[in-house]
Amino acid sequence: MNRELRFERLVQASPARVFDLFTSPAGQREFYGSDAPGWVVDSRCEVRVGGAWEITFGPSRGELYRHLHVFEAIERPRRLLLATTEIRPDGSRFSFSTEFMFAPRGGATLMTIVQWGFPSDELRDEHGRGVPHAFDRLERALSP
């Protein structure tokens, strides 16, 4: 069974600009955010190999998800490799791998996200539904 997700988006900004925004708290607020009233996003990050990146997000303070990423590789501004643990509002947790790539494409950036190692097809599919919206918000934040 293939439990991998892969998404690509051409973003109209340089790889360095996309990488820097993406790894900032403001960029993560956009990426994990929602236009829904009351949506919560808190991002704390130590961008270094072995460093932790914790993002807490959800529809309210009483219903929060937490992604705990540990940086396994950082190749600024081209690539991030992360070991990810998701902790759900009910306390359950699972782990998977996440890779972000930022490739130059004629003045723009091809941003690619690959995630693998999901414990079920349902969890993989759930993650797949949110990524296009995350790209939209990040792209909006990069607009001049």
Side-chain angles (χ1 to χ4, degrees):
M1 249 183 272
N2 181 2
R3 291 202 178 125
E4 177 181 288
L5 284 175
R6 182 182 192 89
F7 289 92
E8 295 182 335
R9 175 77 60 99
L10 189 64
V11 178
Q12 297 302 313
S14 70
R17 188 163 169 240
V18 176
F19 185 98
D20 288 347
L21 177 65
F22 182 75
T23 57
S24 74
Q28 285 299 289
R29 277 191 298 276
E30 292 301 324
F31 198 74
Y32 279 88
S34 171
D35 294 330
W39 191 265
V40 176
V41 179
D42 182 38
S43 175
R44 299 167 197 277
C45 184
E46 186 180 354
V47 183
R48 65 171 180 78
V49 172
W53 190 355
E54 186 175 345
I55 300 112
T56 305
F57 62 100
S60 70
R61 291 264 172 226
E63 187 179 349
L64 293 173
Y65 293 80
R66 192 172 96 192
H67 281 181
L68 178 59
H69 303 289
V70 176
F71 290 100
E72 294 182 333
I74 301 170
E75 299 165 19
R76 186 188 181 281
R78 291 190 267 287
R79 178 177 174 255
L80 296 168
L81 179 62
L82 306 147
T84 301
T85 299
E86 179 174 310
I87 302 156
R88 301 173 72 79
D90 66 5
S92 64
R93 63 178 55 217
F94 62 95
S95 297
F96 56 97
S97 295
T98 304
E99 184 173 30
F100 297 96
M101 292 165 280
F102 308 85
R105 293 291 188 273
T109 299
L110 180 63
M111 185 175 173
T112 304
I113 300 171
V114 182
Q115 295 178 310
W116 64 96
F118 291 101
S120 71
D121 293 342
E122 293 78 20
L123 287 170
R124 177 203 57 209
D125 295 348
E126 180 184 308
H127 278 248
R129 287 190 290 275
V131 173
H133 176 72
F135 270 129
D136 292 346
R137 291 182 58 87
L138 188 66
E139 200 166 18
R140 247 189 336 210
L142 286 161
S143 295

